Amino acid sequence: MLESLSSLMYGFGIALQPDNLLYVFIGVFAGTLIGMLPGLGPISALALMIPITFSMDPASGLILMAGVYYGAIFGGSTSSILLNAPGVAGTVATSFDGYPMARKGQAGKALAIAAYASFIGGTISVVGLVLIAPLLSKIAVSFGPAEYFALMLLGLTAVVSLSDKSLVKGLIAAVVGMMISIVGMDLQTGTERYTFNSLNLLDGVGFLVVALGVFALAEVFVMLLRGEEGHPQRQSIGSLKLTRHEAKEIAAPIGRSSILGFFIGVLPGAGATIGSFLGYSLEKRLARDGKTFGQGNIKGVAAPEAANNAACGGSFVPLLTLGVPGSGTTAVLLGALLVMGVTPGPMMLETRPDVFWGVIASMYIGNLFLLALNLPLIPLIAKILDAPRPLLLAMILIFCMVGVYGMNFSTFDLLMLLLFGLMGLAMRLYGFPAAPLILGLILGAMLEESMRRALQISSGDWSIFIDKPISFWLLVLAGLSLTMPLLKKAWLIWRQQAA
């Protein structure tokens, strides 16, 4: 404990150097702007920064890039809350209650809650990194393909089981999302799947195309169908201040989701997206007013925002202590470290303590910068909602088109955006939830890859998923998450008939 604190003080000595302070500020500021703009994303930004950091000191370079990473997750909540246009996968869950709050004139409060929750989640992850990083790295090693398959299946079933109106519709949406995820060339066998002989589909369907179509473009269509009466013009963004009751109400969800998000982030392959969905699912189950989730519940904003930022911090555990990237973003960070001549792994604490502890200390400073940057800007940012309704619709439409076209400069992607926009509209009209579809899309490819690896290890023996204790109990929890709502309904029906 004392050794960790002394090492952290050493890290603050590095992070508080004037040039590194400047890099922290530049990183979180650039990351916040990137997170607000769908189409860029932290991966693209970090890849572009590798040539810039090549000549920098490794500690300074990683401090800058880490700031961009968690700054993008922090800033991604803005477009999710204001426009229902999540450009970063880790902030999809935030839009479920953040956007309804904005529609009710509480955009300021939603953005403030997101800022506070993100700060606390990031701070808790820093504490976790300091205290238990070596121990967690050993736990992460014990997770093999079977355990990852079971974990992702649990994440998917947890979200499906929370489908408000129909479990069957939630399952259908999840299956459709998984079907979309396997479109393209199978890298293991070279087989084309669901491409319909189109070269444009060989690389699959991008997350951004689906997310912006199902959420943002579908919202444009809904607003056009409802007309002016369905969406009255908002005159105020509402107060940024939280009452004592509201602060008390979100305190426990933020704490629980921060811890959950951190532990999920430690597992390679999990990351901020799964962390945010599981945080949201957990709070919806625990809350007495769980039925109001999706209608503007403040806990539905606080939980995923705390979880996704804590998961960002947790993802540095396998990266720095094992040299294992937990996501596409940390894979780019790993590449940047290797380019700078630093090899992450068990010996990094001894060979490059300046990089390890300097980055951890910079995260806390970066979270302070993010809070100081975002809170004063909320009234200005939220003015987007006060734009005339035709202009707001045009802004959302342009936002979607520029974001999608900027990925590959392909008009085919714009057609796909329109297709998923119409799909999102149909899902709204017929009561199909969007969350299972998006999570199915995100987890589908990873589920398949983990299943294949596990079966290769076991020579095709499916019992590998139940022979290992961790995967067995995770699968049991996944089964319970699906069956419990059905059992609960059956119990209520039986009680009504008995009465």
Side-chain angles (χ1 to χ4, degrees), residues 33 36 54 104 128 140 151 168 180 207 236 246 272 329 373 452:
L33 295 179
M36 292 179 186
F54 180 74
K104 292 191 292 187
L151 175 67
V168 173
I180 296 170
F207 160 78
S236 172
E246 288 171 334
T329 308
L373 272 172
R452 278 180 167 177

Side-chain angles (χ1 to χ4, degrees), residues 158-199:
V159 173
V160 168
S161 65
L162 293 176
S163 302
D164 293 326
K165 296 180 180 178
S166 170
L167 182 64
V168 173
K169 289 183 177 180
L171 280 169
I172 292 172
V175 170
V176 170
M178 294 177 70
M179 289 175 66
I180 296 170
S181 75
I182 62 174
V183 170
M185 179 77 76
D186 181 358
L187 297 179
Q188 188 167 338
T189 63
T191 305
E192 294 182 21
R193 301 187 295 189
Y194 303 111
T195 60
F196 304 100
N197 295 321
S198 172
L199 296 177

Side-chain angles (χ1 to χ4, degrees), residues 167-475:
L167 182 64
V168 173
K169 289 183 177 180
L171 280 169
I172 292 172
V175 170
V176 170
M178 294 177 70
M179 289 175 66
I180 296 170
S181 75
I182 62 174
V183 170
M185 179 77 76
D186 181 358
L187 297 179
Q188 188 167 338
T189 63
T191 305
E192 294 182 21
R193 301 187 295 189
Y194 303 111
T195 60
F196 304 100
N197 295 321
S198 172
L199 296 177
N200 294 296
L201 290 174
L202 286 179
D203 291 331
V205 181
F207 160 78
L208 195 67
V209 176
V210 181
L212 290 182
V214 170
F215 286 100
L217 193 59
E219 183 64 26
V220 171
F221 292 151
V222 169
M223 290 169 73
L224 289 172
L225 285 176
R226 289 178 178 173
E228 292 288 346
E229 294 182 2
H231 280 266
Q233 186 63 38
R234 291 164 287 262
Q235 300 300 325
S236 172
I237 64 168
S239 173
L240 274 64
K241 294 181 180 179
L242 300 179
T243 64
R244 184 174 297 181
H245 173 71
E246 288 171 334
K248 186 178 179 180
E249 197 174 1
I250 64 172
I254 288 176
R256 284 190 293 263
S257 297
S258 297
I259 295 170
L260 174 65
F262 176 70
F263 281 98
I264 292 296
V266 168
L267 302 173
T273 305
I274 298 178
S276 63
F277 274 101
L278 285 179
Y280 185 87
S281 301
L282 175 66
E283 291 310 317
K284 186 171 182 180
R285 289 182 183 278
L286 294 177
R288 292 180 180 177
D289 55 349
K291 291 184 178 180
T292 65
F293 273 58
Q295 301 171 21
N297 192 308
I298 59 175
K299 289 177 282 190
V301 176
E305 279 302 298
N308 62 29
N309 278 270
C312 286
S315 67
F316 279 83
V317 173
L319 175 67
L320 298 178
T321 60
L322 300 175
V324 177
S327 62
T329 308
T330 49
V332 175
L333 287 171
L334 174 62
L337 280 171
L338 294 174
V339 168
M340 290 185 279
V342 177
T343 303
M347 298 302 294
M348 189 175 180
L349 277 167
E350 297 179 13
T351 57
R352 294 307 301 258
D354 57 327
V355 177
F356 186 89
W357 293 108
V359 170
I360 290 176
S362 74
M363 289 181 185
Y364 184 74
I365 298 169
N367 276 293
L368 285 173
F369 279 155
L370 283 168
L371 196 64
L373 272 172
N374 281 268
L375 284 178
L377 292 176
I378 285 175
L380 180 63
I381 295 170
K383 287 293 182 184
I384 293 172
L385 296 176
D386 291 327
R389 186 169 170 278
L391 179 60
L392 181 61
L393 289 174
M395 284 171 60
I396 298 174
L397 190 59
I398 292 171
F399 213 48
C400 295
M401 294 177 67
V402 171
V404 168
Y405 186 74
M407 291 191 306
N408 301 309
F409 301 101
S410 168
T411 53
F412 181 81
D413 287 344
L414 294 178
L415 294 174
M416 293 295 289
L417 174 69
L418 176 61
L419 174 66
F420 285 109
L422 294 173
M423 178 188 287
L425 174 62
M427 291 175 70
R428 298 272 190 97
L429 294 177
Y430 292 100
F432 284 85
L437 182 141
I438 294 296
L439 196 59
L441 169 68
I442 294 169
L443 297 184
M446 292 189 285
L447 266 170
E448 182 188 22
E449 184 180 357
S450 297
M451 183 183 72
R452 278 180 167 177
R453 287 181 178 177
L455 292 175
Q456 285 172 348
I457 292 170
S458 66
S459 300
D461 186 359
W462 288 86
S463 65
I464 188 174
F465 295 107
I466 57 175
D467 287 344
K468 297 191 173 186
I470 296 176
S471 61
F472 172 75
W473 287 110
L474 287 173
L475 288 173

